[in-house]
Amino acid sequence: MPQPHFKIAFAAADHDLAREAKRTLEMRYPHVPEDEAEIIVALGGDGFMLHALHAHMARNTPIYGMNKGTVGFLMNSFRVERLMERLAVAEAYRLHPLRMCARAMDGTETEALAINEVSLLRQSRMAAKLRIRIDGVVRMDELVCDGAMVATPAGSTAYNLSVYGPILPLGSNLLALTPISAFRPRRWRGALLQRTAEVILEVLDADLRPVSATADSTEVRRVTQVRIYEDPDARPILLFDPEHNLEERILKEQFQP
């Protein structure tokens, strides 16, 4: 029976373990430059997976990660053997990134994509004051907080979870709007939104209470307004071993002590 074959490229995080794994795999398997690959094999942790997804989003090249990082929630286990066979049976998950449109105090506007979340954070000792609009309707006139974020299901187990936001199954078609250290209203824990929702976060007293906005690794300082919505044209693809089962891992995460 013929062995499966794919045009693959190896990409490694910038540390010794990942670089050594890349050298080992390149000695074992035929490979091509990244811009010619049918599949990118990313070696590192979840942070490097985000980097690889952003780098190859324009071509929608599927990314198969192998863990050479710390957490590796989005990564498969690292094994040198039978890579082509693993790729042949890998399950594909199509992600739904968010687009951030951030307006700064000087009038400049910045757009960026977020696979995990778009977050706003205070820049000074003073708490941020935010107004929240959902689909054009003001849902909260003033939130006093350290910040707030809108997280995708893929990102709900990352920063969102660390500030006690909800974990979202991949197929839930939801977004998590989660406050960061809400002071007023103190007991507000956030909201679940349809993934088609448009969220506008307005910064009140922006000159006195400066706020930054970040879409994954793109940061904009001293913003006055941030518009967040699902980008219909960006559809990066993650590949997982069948036994990895990302949906099962997300379910299990909700029962961790």
Side-chain angles (χ1 to χ4, degrees):
M1 186 173 179
Q3 293 296 307
H5 178 74
F6 301 95
K7 293 170 65 177
I8 59 176
F10 297 101
D14 189 21
H15 58 75
D16 290 342
L17 283 176
R19 286 192 293 263
E20 179 59 32
K22 181 174 183 285
R23 285 192 292 268
T24 300
L25 290 167
E26 286 182 337
M27 292 176 62
R28 180 77 172 264
Y29 298 100
H31 53 280
V32 299
E34 292 184 24
D35 59 0
E36 298 177 15
E38 297 171 332
I39 297 174
I40 304 293
V41 177
L43 304 161
D46 288 341
F48 185 70
M49 173 59 84
L50 286 181
H51 170 80
L53 287 166
H54 279 283
H56 299 283
M57 200 177 302
R59 295 180 62 233
N60 276 342
T61 307
I63 312 292
Y64 179 87
M66 287 203 285
N67 190 20
K68 279 294 176 179
T70 305
V71 179
F73 193 85
L74 298 175
M75 314 299 278
N76 300 285
S77 60
F78 178 80
R79 294 197 303 271
V80 175
E81 299 78 15
R82 301 177 62 84
L83 176 59
M84 291 298 180
E85 289 86 342
R86 292 174 74 183
L87 295 177
V89 299
E91 298 176 349
Y93 287 85
R94 192 173 289 274
L95 303 179
H96 301 275
L98 299 172
R99 181 164 290 277
M100 174 186 78
C101 303
R103 182 184 305 152
M105 290 186 66
D106 62 5
T108 59
E109 296 191 357
T110 302
E111 294 193 12
L113 288 173
I115 293 167
N116 271 1
E117 75 279 319
V118 175
S119 59
L120 277 68
L121 289 169
R122 65 185 177 102
Q123 290 181 220
S124 73
R125 62 181 177 82
M126 301 188 71
K129 289 187 176 182
L130 307 176
R131 179 177 292 130
I132 301 174
R133 295 181 186 269
I134 310 295
D135 293 329
V137 178
V138 175
R139 296 296 182 180
M140 186 168 291
D141 196 58
E142 184 179 276
L143 170 65
V144 182
C145 56
D146 280 354
M149 74 178 71
V150 179
T152 67
S156 67
T157 57
Y159 188 17
N160 174 72
L161 181 58
S162 73
V163 294
Y164 305 104
I167 296 175
L168 304 177
L170 282 182
S172 64
N173 293 324
L174 295 174
L175 301 172
L177 171 57
T178 304
I180 302 170
S181 300
F183 177 69
R184 189 180 298 116
R186 193 182 298 271
R187 291 187 174 85
W188 189 61
R189 303 301 297 173
L192 295 177
L193 309 174
Q194 293 293 326
R195 82 174 209 219
T196 55
E198 178 190 70
V199 181
I200 295 179
L201 301 175
E202 302 173 26
V203 180
L204 309 178
D205 300 332
D207 53 344
L208 180 64
R209 302 168 182 270
V211 170
S212 66
T214 304
D216 286 350
S217 60
T218 300
E219 183 184 32
V220 183
R221 307 283 283 180
R222 302 185 71 86
V223 297
T224 57
Q225 177 182 289
V226 178
R227 185 164 67 100
I228 305 161
Y229 60 95
E230 182 185 298
D231 191 306
D233 300 319
R235 291 291 183 266
I237 300 170
L238 280 175
L239 297 176
F240 291 104
D241 295 329
E243 64 270 19
H244 181 103
N245 197 323
L246 186 61
E247 290 183 350
E248 176 65 18
R249 293 191 69 181
I250 289 175
L251 182 61
K252 285 182 178 179
E253 191 74 22
Q254 297 179 74
F255 293 90
Q256 296 299 315

